[in-house]
Amino acid sequence: MKAKPDFAAFMSPRPLRLYIERPIYLTTRLKSDHAALTHGNLTSSHPNVHKTPSSNPSHHHDPFNHHRSTTNKLPQSIMAKLTLLTLLGLLTPTALSLRPSPGCGKTPALVTSSSTTTPLRITSNNKQREFFVRLPQNYNSSTPHRLIFTLHALGGTAQQVIAGQGGYLPYYGLPPLANSSTTPTVFVIPNGLNNGWQNSNGEDVTFLRSVLSTVESDLCVDQDLRFSTGFSYGAAMSYSLACSLGKEIRAVAALSGNPQISGCAAGSEPVAYYGQHGTTDNVLPLAQARQMRDRFLKNNGCAAQAEPPVPAAGSQGKVKTVYTGCLPDKPVTFVVFDGGHVPTPRETGESETFAHKETWEFFSQFT
């Protein structure tokens, strides 16, 4: 495929994605500094990347010669990217996104517009499992999409999440907000075993990993933009995914969850984390939600701070804490509200819940 730059995106502050020879997407971000390109070497702004200076002092005296000697050894595909960045001039590279899914550029053979009403089925751990998929309007197989798991609570079903029944908003209220995004979103709605996510011996993690593989082989997904959210057991399973698939999940939003009921295998990788919980939750106490939060405060390198205050009893208020000192791309936000075990809490005077707005605000910062 010939290079097909999206010229309209050149003027946008969001990442710029281009086709280069094949559906590989090059991501750049506007920056005010030039630290990401140092002496001809592509470097990372991530604090955990160690940068070792050259042992040859002549490299420091002649950075341009060093640039030429380094880049001449690079593969032709990388050279093409560097040449393009040079031509763009004002853009400084901070990341090369090479994670479009295998379904990019293909006509879907599995997922259709009816996949929100007709379940798709796969076999996982010798059990037939089912899930649903919601495509955005005007799905484009050439555009990498955000993917969001929306997981039901204990006793719930995927169909309830889709329809917005049993206390849920449809897809946890996210589609209307996602529709305004420049990155379109695919929603994946699986059914748990026995209406829950016990995740015995990790079987639900295995199932959801297989769902990812199946969907991404059929649809165009940005594999750097995978998310999960859910209420109660769905929150616990989203947390479990963050633990088990830490390098594969961009962020999770756990709404009134628990760290034990779906488990946490591994659990040492940093993952962007949003948590939400009620002060009077008698099903899954607030202390358990704090344990979930604390794992990712530690994993994400956030600064230690005293436990934030909780809203006054009877106030129907909320306290939102955005933690500081976290790894730049691994934020942690925690909301405590005056209320019980509910997926759609409201503040005083508000006609609708804040849960979907806070979740989307957290997810949409990643592009």
Side-chain angles (χ1 to χ4, degrees), residues 38-41 43 51-70:
T38 304
H39 299 311
N41 292 320
T43 62
K51 305 178 182 67
T52 304
S54 169
S55 59
N56 186 346
S58 65
H59 288 177
H60 299 284
H61 294 303
D62 190 356
F64 296 103
N65 281 338
H66 176 65
H67 172 71
R68 283 192 290 271
S69 63
T70 301

Side-chain angles (χ1 to χ4, degrees), residues 198-217:
Q198 293 84 359
N199 194 31
S200 300
N201 299 314
E203 67 178 338
D204 285 321
V205 169
T206 299
F207 164 54
L208 294 178
R209 188 195 291 270
S210 296
V211 170
L212 275 178
S213 177
T214 300
V215 170
E216 292 178 356
S217 293

